[in-house]
Amino acid sequence: MQEQILAMTKGAGPDAVIEAVGLESHGATTAQSVASAVMGAVTSFERPFALNQAILACRPGGTVSMPGVFVAQVGPIALGALMQKGLTLRTGQTHMLRYMRPLLDLILAGRLRSDSIITHRAKLEDGPELYEAFRAKREGCIKVMMTPHAG
């Protein structure tokens, strides 16, 4: 993936990278992912695979934004790359109460289409099995729209 990003940006890397995965950050088998798995087994550390990918992908002097959810200690992080590149790290969860009503109004007015990001529609009780499909990257599951009532 890193090679693709560098090719797309003529070797510079993107100006900004958003790490929106947070707590559910699981990655391919790399030295860093193995170290994270070991730390997670021994302590309550979360695995920052997506955060490390964001740091490595971002161009020097760029910005890494982290609106994802982290609830415990995180480690190991590519702190050396973060420092050497002089990256700006922005954090904080999205203020959903502020944005939900305006976004819903745009959708209802037909000015914003949400169907292009919804890959699955289901009843609320199907949530646990669809979460497993999402986590395992099965069936192209990216975003699920759930309805609270069957019918």
Side-chain angles (χ1 to χ4, degrees):
M1 179 167 54
Q2 183 70 8
E3 294 80 23
Q4 290 174 309
I5 293 169
L6 290 174
M8 291 169 59
T9 60
K10 297 182 172 97
D15 294 338
V17 180
I18 299 171
E19 189 285 86
V21 178
L23 174 62
E24 290 301 321
S25 179
H26 306 285
T29 303
T30 63
Q32 210 159 25
S33 68
V34 170
S36 291
V38 169
M39 298 233 2
V42 176
T43 66
S44 63
F45 279 79
E46 293 182 15
R47 294 172 283 181
F49 181 78
L51 174 58
N52 284 322
Q53 288 295 108
I55 290 168
L56 297 174
C58 198
R59 70 159 174 80
T63 300
V64 174
S65 182
M66 300 171 49
V69 178
F70 289 93
V71 295
Q73 294 183 34
V74 179
I77 296 174
L79 192 57
L82 180 77
M83 298 296 292
Q84 290 171 359
K85 288 183 168 189
L87 300 178
T88 298
L89 188 60
R90 300 196 52 138
T91 65
Q93 294 188 12
T94 303
H95 193 316
M96 285 307 301
L97 295 177
R98 181 185 189 296
Y99 294 111
M100 192 176 333
R101 177 85 279 177
L103 287 171
L104 183 57
D105 289 344
L106 289 170
I107 291 169
L108 293 173
R111 295 182 53 212
L112 180 65
R113 296 195 51 164
S114 60
D115 55 342
S116 64
I117 63 169
I118 296 170
T119 60
H120 291 69
R121 296 175 187 273
K123 296 176 284 195
L124 192 57
E125 56 266 22
D126 296 329
E129 63 193 58
L130 279 170
Y131 179 78
E132 286 302 318
F134 167 77
R135 187 172 185 180
K137 310 293 185 246
R138 287 192 319 260
E139 304 164 20
C141 189
I142 297 171
K143 185 67 74 179
V144 178
M145 179 175 175
M146 294 186 176
T147 54
H149 308 290

